[in-house]
Amino acid sequence: MEELISLLGHRVRLVDLTHRLGPSPSEPVPPWLEAQTHEEGAEVWEGMFGIPRGALPGGRGFAGEMLHRLSTHAGTHVDAPWHYAPTAGGAPAATIDRVPLSWCVGDLVVVDVSDLPTGHLIGRDEVVERLAGIAPDLQVGAVVAFYTGAERLWGDEKFWETGCGLGREAVLALLERGVRTIGTDAWSLDRPYPLIGAEWQQRRDPAALWPAHFAGIEQPYLQIEKLANLTAVPAIGATILAFPIKVECGSGAWTRAVALVAEPGER
């Protein structure tokens, strides 16, 4: 979804970077959404306060929804440092209600890695090389998002098996340059979980277990996972806002991530 607005005197295009939160074959543990109709809403007021339906407009009350079995990591969401470990950089790791809001907004840099095969482990040199061709003057506080192509399978159960992932050194290379938030269109910033699990059965190598996530033990950072529509924004020049819901002591939370793209002549 895209819209045009006027913001601080400039014409800006809004690009929705968020998937709908609800039942999806792409979620191994899909949330269950229970809808309350307007008619059922009228029953609530009648049962609670004795207000008859005839007193309500059209005999209808308020519609609503109850979400069950809803993980804070379902849909497009932000991972807090607490998700990776209880400590980060030698200090207590921040939960999602305590992450700096400044980390959730910044210049958006989109790195297209869709040419890499599913399961590829992106290393430090690859990240440095690709950034050099896109944003050689990467600003402190920039948000770097990787487009793996996995988004094309959103709505399919194969989604969480698709895409490449970052290695430990690749993550640290970004953090060393002042990046505090890293995003991906894939299910995880790491390689697909089924692949990691299968490799463990063969290699038993602890270093291969979620190296992108566990890099956060060394230095705190945020992840934004399951981003949408990254191909609708330029590689550089957009601004991202991805403020998470303030879940008390949460390891993560849902976000309505949006990119602000200045219209030609407005930058």
Side-chain angles (χ1 to χ4, degrees):
M1 181 176 66
E2 297 187 15
E3 297 178 68
L4 282 174
I5 64 168
S6 179
L7 183 66
L8 299 177
H10 300 283
R11 293 288 286 172
V12 175
R13 179 164 54 97
L14 301 181
V15 180
D16 191 352
L17 303 179
T18 314
H19 290 294
R20 288 186 175 90
L21 183 62
S24 172
S26 295
E27 302 284 8
V29 183
W32 168 40
L33 189 152
E34 180 184 6
Q36 173 184 285
T37 66
H38 294 94
E39 289 71 23
E40 290 169 335
E43 292 178 7
V44 170
W45 298 136
E46 187 170 18
M48 187 176 294
F49 300 120
I51 299 173
R53 294 189 181 192
L56 302 172
R60 302 181 182 91
F62 301 144
E65 295 77 36
M66 292 290 291
L67 283 163
H68 307 275
R69 199 175 60 181
L70 177 60
S71 167
T72 51
H73 300 270
T76 307
H77 66 276
V78 178
D79 286 349
W82 178 259
H83 181 51
Y84 320 134
T87 60
T95 52
I96 200 68
D97 50 336
R98 295 182 180 276
V99 299
L101 292 180
S102 59
W103 289 15
C104 305
V105 58
D107 296 334
L108 177 61
V109 178
V110 179
V111 182
D112 188 341
V113 291
S114 60
D115 58 305
L116 300 176
T118 284
H120 180 79
L121 184 67
I122 301 174
R124 174 185 286 266
D125 291 345
E126 290 175 294
V127 165
V128 171
E129 179 181 352
R130 296 203 179 213
L131 277 178
I134 301 171
D137 300 319
L138 188 68
Q139 298 297 306
V140 171
V143 176
V144 177
F146 291 84
Y147 175 70
T148 72
E151 179 200 345
R152 295 190 291 258
L153 288 176
W154 178 257
D156 190 298
E157 61 183 12
K158 293 185 180 298
F159 171 75
W160 89 308
E161 303 174 0
T162 306
C164 53
L166 270 61
R168 169 183 171 275
E169 291 298 329
V171 170
L172 294 178
L174 293 170
L175 303 187
E176 289 164 5
R177 300 185 66 177
V179 173
R180 289 293 170 263
T181 301
I182 307 173
T184 179
D185 68 319
W187 200 83
S188 170
L189 192 62
D190 274 291
R191 298 182 302 154
Y193 283 26
L195 176 62
I196 291 175
E199 286 186 351
W200 173 256
Q201 297 302 320
Q202 297 178 347
R203 298 168 50 193
R204 305 284 176 174
D205 179 9
L209 297 177
W210 298 284
H213 280 73
F214 290 140
I217 298 175
E218 301 176 56
Q219 189 170 343
Y221 78 103
L222 305 181
Q223 291 184 19
I224 312 174
E225 295 176 321
K226 306 177 199 174
L227 285 165
N229 298 323
L230 287 177
T231 56
V233 297
I236 59 171
T239 300
I240 185 172
L241 297 90
F243 299 110
I245 298 298
K246 204 170 183 179
V247 176
E248 184 175 3
C249 298
S251 63
W254 319 280
T255 180
R256 184 66 179 267
V258 176
L260 309 180
V261 185
E263 286 294 280
E266 294 287 352
R267 294 178 185 172

